[in-house]
């Protein structure tokens, strides 16, 4: 399973159901896949979603979908940053608390979570204490409800 790194400001809007279009400067090959939503700079897995579709945006679509992308930037400024802006339509957004991952050096957009350590919070006192999820991919772990008994409350 792959995780998409998103800044907290935008990820909060996604988790609250306000933002359903993530604006990026390229397409993605992960259309139709379930992905993890990673909070930039925190090593937190905040939730999961599916990238339903990717569409190149023009000025009219940028303005028409402002309520779905929540970016308050004029089109003229956007195209200075992205030659062709793309909207990644996020669907089936599912918040999830209590998961963290080991962030690999150099990862900026995507993290392959099957190749890094993933942790589950095991301390309900608010202390920074995690237990590593071992021996199974994160995707299989989640859809199984936690194959190992000690993880079943995830």
């Amino acid at each position: 399973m792959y995780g998409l790194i998103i800044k907290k400001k935008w990820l909060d809007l996604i988790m609250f159901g306000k933002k359903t279009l993530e604006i990026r400067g390229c397409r993605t090959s992960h259309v139709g896949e379930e992905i993890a939503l990673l909070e930039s700079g925190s090593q937190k897995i905040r939730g999961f979603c599916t990238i339903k579709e990717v569409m190149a945006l023009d000025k009219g679509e940028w303005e028409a979908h402002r309520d779905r992308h929540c970016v308050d930037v004029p089109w003229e400024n956007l195209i200075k940053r992205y030659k062709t802006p793309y909207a990644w339509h996020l669907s089936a957004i599912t918040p999830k608390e209590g998961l963290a991952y080991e962030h690999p050096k150099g990862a900026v957009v995507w993290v392959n979570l099957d190749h890094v350590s993933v942790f589950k919070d095991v301390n309900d006192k608010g202390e920074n204490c995690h237990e590593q999820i071992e021996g199974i991919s994160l995707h299989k772990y989640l859809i199984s409800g936690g194959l190992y008994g000690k993880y079943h409350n995830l």
Side-chain angles (χ1 to χ4, degrees):
M1 172 180 279
Y2 281 85
L4 177 62
I5 302 166
I6 304 173
K7 291 186 179 184
K8 183 179 184 334
K9 170 184 176 179
W10 305 118
L11 192 50
D12 286 347
L13 292 170
I14 292 167
M15 293 291 100
F16 293 133
K18 174 109 175 103
K19 179 176 169 70
T20 58
L21 295 179
E22 175 64 7
I23 305 303
R24 297 286 170 144
C26 61
R27 296 184 179 279
T28 179
S29 62
H30 298 286
V31 175
E33 292 180 26
E34 182 179 32
I35 62 164
L37 299 169
L38 311 178
E39 183 179 309
S40 179
S42 74
Q43 298 187 340
K44 291 180 184 177
I45 300 172
R46 297 267 312 272
F48 300 89
C49 74
T50 300
I51 300 176
K52 186 175 181 178
E53 66 179 330
V54 174
M55 56 186 167
L57 295 175
D58 61 26
K59 184 176 182 178
E61 291 166 324
W62 176 252
E63 296 299 330
H65 296 299
R66 186 172 299 274
D67 61 326
R68 295 178 58 205
H69 60 67
C70 303
V71 181
D72 190 24
V73 172
W75 172 256
E76 293 73 23
N77 291 354
L78 180 70
I79 59 173
K80 288 177 186 174
R81 178 170 181 165
Y82 301 126
K83 180 180 176 185
T84 302
Y86 292 89
W88 297 6
H89 180 191
L90 308 180
S91 66
I93 299 164
T94 307
K96 191 72 159 174
E97 293 184 20
L99 289 176
Y101 72 100
E102 183 179 346
H103 190 83
K105 288 183 181 178
V108 178
V109 178
W110 292 104
V111 174
N112 185 339
L113 294 171
D114 291 333
H115 294 151
V116 298
S117 296
V118 176
F119 303 92
K120 171 187 173 295
D121 284 336
V122 294
N123 190 327
D124 60 359
K125 297 179 179 119
E127 298 171 9
N128 189 12
C129 181
H130 297 90
E131 182 173 357
Q132 187 169 355
I133 299 169
E134 297 184 63
I136 186 169
S137 74
L138 178 61
H139 180 73
K140 287 180 183 174
Y141 169 75
L142 290 168
I143 62 172
S144 71
L147 287 178
Y148 305 111
K150 63 184 177 178
Y151 301 123
H152 76 280
N153 291 324
L154 180 67

